[in-house]
Amino acid sequence: MTAVIAFASCAPALQAAQQESASLKIDGASVVFVNPGPDTATAPALLLSGDFVTTDQNCRKRASGYTGCTLPDVAAGKLYRVVIDQGQVKAGSVTFYRASGGVRPIYLRLP
């Protein structure tokens, strides 16, 4: 758990260092992962916290209280929207890969 906290605390610097154009944001009653490119975002794994309900088939509530979503690959120029049916997301992050980046994971979090 300490490693996760340490990793999350350096997220703003990490995002800047990655020079990544993708984004994760809250848009009304949705969490949106946007991939402007240059290539497909492969194996996106979304982790959300808060008191909320979603019926998205790719999301499962975990014993830890977090909700994990294994999203389908998101092609360049596309997005994936997780609709929040009720409640509020407090925090979230997504990790994914790009073919152009090799096996290096890319990490983004909600602002």
Side-chain angles (χ1 to χ4, degrees), residues 85-106:
D85 299 310
Q86 67 183 55
Q88 183 177 1
V89 172
K90 300 226 184 244
S93 64
V94 65
T95 305
F96 61 99
Y97 298 88
R98 291 196 184 279
S100 59
V103 296
R104 177 184 58 91
I106 299 166

Side-chain angles (χ1 to χ4, degrees), residues 62-110:
R62 297 179 177 177
S64 63
Y66 290 93
T67 298
C69 306
T70 303
L71 306 181
D73 292 351
V74 179
K78 302 293 182 181
L79 59 84
Y80 190 91
R81 182 180 302 270
V82 174
V83 176
I84 306 304
D85 299 310
Q86 67 183 55
Q88 183 177 1
V89 172
K90 300 226 184 244
S93 64
V94 65
T95 305
F96 61 99
Y97 298 88
R98 291 196 184 279
S100 59
V103 296
R104 177 184 58 91
I106 299 166
Y107 173 81
L108 303 173
R109 69 178 196 169
L110 284 171

Side-chain angles (χ1 to χ4, degrees), residues 4-68:
V4 171
I5 293 169
F7 185 66
S9 66
C10 66
L14 180 62
Q15 284 178 232
Q18 294 176 124
Q19 298 178 347
E20 179 55 48
S21 60
S23 63
L24 185 63
K25 62 184 179 178
I26 293 180
D27 181 23
S30 299
V31 175
V32 182
F33 172 54
V34 180
N35 178 23
D39 52 358
T40 298
T42 305
L46 182 62
L47 187 63
L48 302 171
S49 69
D51 186 19
F52 66 93
V53 174
T54 181
T55 54
D56 189 296
Q57 65 184 7
N58 296 305
C59 298
R60 301 284 179 269
K61 190 82 163 181
R62 297 179 177 177
S64 63
Y66 290 93
T67 298

